[in-house]
């Protein structure tokens, strides 16, 4: 969820992008490209929900990973990110 995104005065909608990066062993394994977040006309603009899927190849090594999600507000030029650690085991 994205909270309190600024409204672009030209479109009356927030102007947001999301990017996901995957790290393994301290190195970037997959760097996503920023993608525009599609917002429906009847969405609650104070709390915008966005989701996506990430499918890992069956041959990825076991170990510790980090998934980073970066959201950029193009109206204010502000960026925020969150990450989650996870482990792949046999």
């Amino acid at each position: 969820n994205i909270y309190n995104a600024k409204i672009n005065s030209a479109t009356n909608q927030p102007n947001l992008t999301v990017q996901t990066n995957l790290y393994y062993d301290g190195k970037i394994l997959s760097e996503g490209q920023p993608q525009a977040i599609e917002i429906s006309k009847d969405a609650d603009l104070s709390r915008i929900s966005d989701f996506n899927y990430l499918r890992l190849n069956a041959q990825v090594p076991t170990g510790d990973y980090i998934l980073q999600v970066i959201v950029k507000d193009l109206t204010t030029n502000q960026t925020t990110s969150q990450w989650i650690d996870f482990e792949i085991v046999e």
Side-chain angles (χ1 to χ4, degrees):
N1 287 327
I2 301 160
Y3 297 96
N4 302 318
K6 298 297 180 198
I7 306 299
N8 181 308
S9 60
T11 63
N12 287 330
Q13 290 282 315
N15 189 8
L16 306 168
T17 63
V18 64
Q19 175 182 348
T20 55
N21 297 326
L22 182 64
Y23 295 85
Y24 171 71
D25 196 26
K27 298 181 180 102
I28 193 154
L29 183 65
S30 172
E31 184 173 11
Q33 295 300 311
Q35 302 290 319
I37 295 176
E38 294 184 24
I39 303 168
S40 68
K41 295 282 186 202
D42 58 346
D44 176 1
L45 298 181
S46 66
R47 183 180 65 199
I48 299 166
S49 296
D50 189 51
F51 68 94
N52 206 333
Y53 299 96
L54 175 67
R55 177 173 282 180
L56 298 176
N57 185 313
Q59 285 76 33
V60 296
T62 59
D64 296 321
Y65 289 80
I66 298 171
L67 178 65
Q68 179 187 35
V69 178
I70 303 165
V71 175
K72 184 169 186 176
D73 186 330
L74 300 176
T75 301
T76 63
N77 205 32
Q78 292 181 321
T79 302
T80 188
S81 68
Q82 287 191 320
W83 62 89
I84 186 167
D85 303 334
F86 65 96
E87 181 181 10
I88 295 180
V89 297
E90 288 186 27

